[in-house]
């Protein structure tokens, strides 16, 4: 009797998981389906999960690989985005923020966890209190500061507010550094290493799992960032993919947006992050096993 109850509860758990999986994945699938659907069939061919006449014309015209006449014949507006340029800008933007922020947050987290200095607990309490401040409250002061520094429409101005640290990352890494065994650090001190040497030779190699976690979450957050890059990176030379999608939507002269082209561009913008998560997800699991986390 107990075995039957266990099987029933397990089956129910699987059903719930499958339902949540379908609810999560279906919007992405419908985005790809719309991207593969000819614009003329968008409102008539919507009763099946697969398009009756799939085509890649929406991808080619978004990438600018077709002429304006071909794009209009395919049902588009003739507009396209310089996807390669905007993809490179987004990669640079995310790489700078994720790389420097992860390093600086690791340094701050280790300092709060291991070093003793006057006012350490007070500074850390203020840092934690910053988690309660909505980002929208700092938007205007950051914009004024970046404008006064002459960094509007530059990559430096776009990454300036977040390249150094975020309170959550510092808190997250501090908690992990507190769990590191002190015996290893004491042995390193006996070998003549100071705090800086212990941080680089001991703490960082043992923290690959948390560092990869912070790096991945930062990349995903930065990749989908829209409002700040829209305000600061208005020029085409520094425009990100998220901002470019909004511009592409506004370029349609019709009453309705160019949904097939917009979904094709959205699919292309999602692919780099999806590939990164698939590749780095395996390394994240390996790193967690290396650190001994369960």
């Amino acid at each position: 009797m107990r075995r039957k109850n266990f099987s029933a509860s397990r089956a129910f758990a699987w059903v719930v998981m499958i339902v949540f999986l379908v609810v999560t994945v279906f919007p992405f699938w419908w985005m790809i389906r719309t991207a593969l659907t000819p614009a003329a069939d968008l409102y008539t061919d919507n009763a099946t999960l697969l398009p009756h006449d799939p085509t890649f014309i929406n991808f080619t015209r978004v990438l600018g690989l077709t002429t304006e006449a071909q794009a209009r014949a395919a049902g588009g507006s003739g507009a396209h985005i310089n996807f390669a340029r905007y993809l490179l800008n987004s990669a640079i933007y995310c790489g700078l923020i994720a790389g420097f922020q992860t390093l600086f947050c690791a340094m701050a987290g280790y300092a709060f966890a291991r070093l003793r200095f006057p006012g350490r607990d007070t500074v850390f309490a203020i840092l934690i209190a910053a988690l309660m401040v909505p980002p929208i409250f700092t938007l205007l002061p950051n914009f004024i500061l970046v404008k006064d520094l002459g960094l509007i429409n530059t990559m430096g101005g776009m990454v300036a507010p977040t390249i150094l640290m975020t309170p959550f990352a510092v808190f997250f890494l501090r908690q992990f550094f507190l769990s590191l065994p002190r015996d290893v650090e004491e042995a390193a001190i006996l070998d003549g290493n100071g705090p800086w040497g212990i941080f680089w030779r001991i703490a960082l190699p043992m923290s690959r799992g948390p560092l990869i976690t912070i790096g991945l979450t930062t990349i995903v957050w930065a990749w989908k960032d829209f409002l700040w890059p829209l305000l600061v990176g208005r020029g085409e030379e520094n425009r990100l993919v998220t901002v470019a999608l909004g511009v592409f939507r506004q370029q349609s002269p019709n009453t309705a947006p160019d949904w097939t082209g917009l979904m094709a561009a959205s699919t292309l913008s999602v692919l780099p992050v999806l590939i990164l998560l698939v590749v780095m997800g395996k390394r994240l699991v390996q790193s967690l096993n290396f650190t001994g986390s369960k």
Side-chain angles (χ1 to χ4, degrees):
M1 186 67 180
R2 184 176 301 175
R3 186 175 181 180
K4 291 183 179 180
N5 292 335
F6 175 77
S7 300
S9 60
R10 188 173 184 179
F12 177 76
W14 275 103
V15 170
V16 173
M17 289 178 60
I18 292 173
V19 170
F20 275 103
L21 181 63
V22 171
V23 172
T24 303
V25 174
F26 184 75
F28 295 98
W29 172 254
W30 199 259
M31 175 182 68
I32 298 174
R33 183 197 183 281
T34 304
L36 295 173
T37 303
D41 300 336
L42 179 61
Y43 297 103
T44 58
D45 180 18
N46 56 9
T48 60
L49 294 176
L50 295 174
H52 292 298
D53 188 18
T55 178
F56 288 97
I57 186 63
N58 298 317
F59 292 95
T60 56
R61 65 185 179 86
V62 165
L63 292 172
L65 302 178
T66 59
T67 62
E68 183 175 347
Q70 291 174 330
R72 292 184 181 277
S77 62
H80 68 276
I81 62 175
N82 190 352
F83 188 79
R85 175 66 177 272
Y86 304 146
L87 180 63
L88 178 61
N89 291 341
S90 294
I92 295 174
Y93 178 77
C94 296
L96 289 175
I97 292 178
F100 283 100
Q101 186 182 117
T102 302
L103 175 61
F104 293 144
C105 288
M107 295 169 62
Y110 184 78
F112 283 121
R114 288 292 190 258
L115 302 184
R116 298 188 178 277
F117 52 89
R120 183 191 65 174
D121 295 339
T122 302
V123 174
F124 184 71
I126 296 174
L127 183 71
I128 295 303
L131 288 170
M132 303 178 64
V133 179
I136 193 67
F137 287 177
T138 61
L139 185 67
L140 182 58
N142 285 335
F143 180 80
I144 295 175
L145 179 60
V146 169
K147 181 180 179 181
D148 292 340
L149 293 175
L151 297 177
I152 293 295
N153 201 28
T154 65
M155 187 61 67
M158 293 169 62
V159 303
T162 52
I163 195 172
L164 294 180
M165 55 78 69
T166 58
F168 171 76
V170 174
F171 172 77
F172 178 83
L173 293 174
R174 173 187 177 270
Q175 297 305 112
F176 178 81
F177 287 134
L178 286 174
S179 67
L180 293 179
R182 290 185 177 270
D183 296 342
V184 179
E185 298 181 3
E186 292 174 356
I189 293 175
L190 294 177
D191 290 337
N193 290 285
W196 191 251
I198 296 175
F199 172 74
W200 283 106
R201 296 186 179 94
I202 305 297
L204 283 187
M206 296 181 66
S207 309
R208 283 188 291 181
L211 292 177
I212 292 176
T213 301
I214 290 296
L216 285 177
T217 55
T218 303
I219 288 175
V220 173
W221 167 83
W223 191 270
K224 65 183 181 65
D225 195 12
F226 175 77
L227 183 56
W228 179 254
L230 176 65
L231 294 176
V232 180
R234 292 172 290 188
E236 186 170 347
E237 63 275 10
N238 292 301
R239 184 175 294 165
L240 303 187
V241 170
T242 51
V243 179
L245 292 177
V247 174
F248 179 81
R249 182 178 182 274
Q250 296 174 355
Q251 287 177 341
S252 176
N254 304 320
T255 303
D258 180 7
W259 289 118
T260 55
L262 187 61
M263 292 301 102
S266 299
T267 301
L268 292 174
S269 67
V270 168
L271 285 179
V273 178
L274 180 61
I275 294 173
L276 179 65
L277 290 176
V278 171
V279 174
M280 297 300 295
K282 297 179 180 179
R283 297 196 60 183
L284 174 60
V285 174
Q286 295 172 357
S287 299
L288 290 176
N289 291 334
F290 172 81
T291 57
S293 299
K294 300 294 184 180

